[in-house]
Amino acid sequence: MTVKQEKLATLFTQATIIPVLTIERVEDAAPLARALVAGGVRVLEVTLRTPVAIEAAKAIMAHVPEAIVGIGTIVNGSDLARAEDVGARFGISPGATPELLKAAAASGLPFAPGIATASELMLAQAHGFDLVKFFPAEQSGGIKALRALAGPFPDVRFCPTGGIGEANAAAWLAEPNVVAVGGSWLCPAAEIRSGNWSGITAMCQQAMKSLKPGSR
């Protein structure tokens, strides 16, 4: 495992849960991040799914220094460059093209490509990536599929995302090759829109209490 991937593995293992943030208004970014951090969730994935995503990431970095901000939904080299330029600590992709893997391998940014099949995983490994996002996790066969991949790929570590929530996060985290899980259940869109920051903090506190290593 490369130094970059080791750094990412350490970050993800400490995180346990990585909230997938789709931020629609820049003014929500800092209060949302503060609510998550107050609940014990510091490693945040700001997805490039909205026009304000980069500005939102900048706002979190400027106003919530305790947060560790990564950029998600990186689908090409341009997205990767934007993540680097903004000062992201890591990058995550829902998938991976040969072009993106090549760019990510040449980049200094710790990066987790997305895979759903053995062939995609082999392509990621060929470019030096053995910590990957398993996406969409539940829809791609769930824990049974993950265990099947673990057979021929015993050294690969995974961050499953997609269909993971309060009801099944513990089961995923119990898998020996899972370093963290990603999901949006800690920050529902309705709670963000209504500014229910204390509710988000409470959800995070409960989740971290039940899912942190040693408690599961």
Side-chain angles (χ1 to χ4, degrees):
M1 187 172 259
T2 65
V3 173
K4 272 195 308 183
Q5 290 271 284
E6 283 290 359
K7 193 182 292 185
L8 195 59
T10 300
L11 200 61
F12 282 14
T13 302
Q14 290 171 348
T16 307
I17 310 170
I18 300 169
V20 178
L21 309 181
T22 302
I23 300 172
E24 295 170 354
R25 301 178 301 202
V26 174
E27 57 266 30
D28 290 334
L32 173 59
R34 283 193 199 99
L36 292 162
V37 169
V41 176
R42 293 181 58 226
V43 179
L44 316 179
E45 176 190 343
V46 177
T47 66
L48 295 178
R49 297 181 188 181
T50 67
V52 303
I54 290 294
E55 289 306 312
K58 285 181 182 176
I60 294 171
M61 291 174 196
H63 300 292
V64 193
E66 315 94 283
I68 297 168
V69 181
I71 298 294
T73 321
I74 291 174
V75 298
N76 53 44
S78 173
D79 289 344
L80 188 74
R82 289 164 72 201
E84 281 193 284
D85 289 346
V86 79
R89 298 279 293 277
F90 61 94
I92 305 182
S93 175
T97 62
E99 291 78 13
L100 177 57
L101 288 167
K102 186 177 178 182
S107 159
L109 187 70
F111 180 75
I115 69 97
T117 67
S119 294
E120 290 165 359
L121 182 48
M122 288 163 66
L123 184 63
Q125 279 192 307
H127 286 82
F129 297 98
D130 46 16
L131 192 167
V132 298
K133 173 176 175 171
F134 181 45
F135 178 82
E138 284 290 338
Q139 297 86 342
S140 298
I143 288 173
K144 286 183 179 178
L146 185 82
R147 288 175 179 167
L149 287 171
F153 305 104
D155 298 326
V156 174
R157 287 179 271 187
F158 297 90
C159 176
T161 307
I164 295 175
E166 185 180 4
N168 61 357
W172 281 98
L173 286 164
E175 294 299 306
N177 55 354
V178 169
V179 292
V181 295
S184 56
W185 84 95
L186 293 178
C187 41
E191 305 293 343
I192 296 173
R193 286 193 197 103
S194 65
N196 185 13
W197 311 126
S198 60
I200 288 173
T201 294
M203 279 191 284
C204 292
Q205 287 171 332
Q206 178 56 38
M208 294 306 280
K209 188 177 173 183
S210 62
L211 296 176
K212 263 292 185 187
S215 64
R216 62 182 196 244

